Amino acid sequence: MALKLMISVYGYGSYFKGSSQYKDIDILITHISTDYNSCLEVIALKKSIVNEIEGADVTILSCVAESEFNFIQQSRAILLSEFLQNTNNRILTELFDKVRGYKNITRHLNGTKTVG
């Protein structure tokens, strides 16, 4: 039986800071395992995000590399989702909905009206 390891997805940049103007939607994927199959799965996750979320700019880092760069803290990234490898459609749908809905959530929290 294969060991399932954690994947985390974060949002950072102007979109997730509530800016009304943004060029892209910055997303970070971190993963624990760097074996071949694990990396293929994370690459497939990146492709799914890019295909599903218009303007997504996805960065992938191993957890070791992320800690060396301290990227999450430096970019003030927010955790969107954590899950074990072997993602399923339900997990992906929840992630996509959370990213798309984040703009409306931040507008609501900042007291501005949403259109729609």
Side-chain angles (χ1 to χ4, degrees):
M1 184 170 160
L3 180 64
K4 294 181 180 183
L5 298 171
M6 187 67 67
I7 295 173
S8 300
V9 181
Y10 295 85
Y12 65 98
S14 56
Y15 179 83
F16 292 98
K17 290 178 183 168
S19 175
S20 61
Q21 296 180 358
Y22 54 91
K23 296 184 297 183
D24 54 14
I25 299 173
D26 296 305
I27 295 174
L28 169 67
I29 301 171
T30 63
H31 58 107
I32 293 173
S33 178
T34 57
D35 70 44
Y36 181 75
N37 288 332
S38 297
C39 289
L40 286 179
E41 183 173 346
V42 174
I43 291 167
L45 174 60
K46 176 180 178 172
K47 287 179 183 177
S48 294
I49 292 170
V50 168
N51 288 334
E52 188 67 29
I53 299 173
E54 185 177 343
D57 183 12
V58 182
T59 300
I60 300 172
L61 291 174
S62 70
C63 289
V64 171
E66 188 286 319
S67 68
E68 288 176 7
F69 291 115
N70 198 21
F71 190 88
I72 294 168
Q73 184 177 2
Q74 294 293 327
S75 65
R76 293 187 229 154
I78 57 160
L79 181 64
L80 299 172
S81 185
E82 276 187 326
F83 45 88
L84 298 177
Q85 285 186 263
N86 302 324
T87 58
N88 61 46
N89 288 336
R90 182 186 58 79
I91 292 170
L92 292 178
T93 299
E94 289 173 4
L95 173 62
F96 300 150
D97 289 347
K98 191 169 193 176
V99 170
R100 287 188 191 105
Y102 196 85
K103 197 62 169 173
N104 291 333
I105 292 168
T106 55
R107 285 184 186 159
H108 176 71
L109 292 174
N110 292 330
T112 59
K113 278 189 162 181
T114 58
V115 178

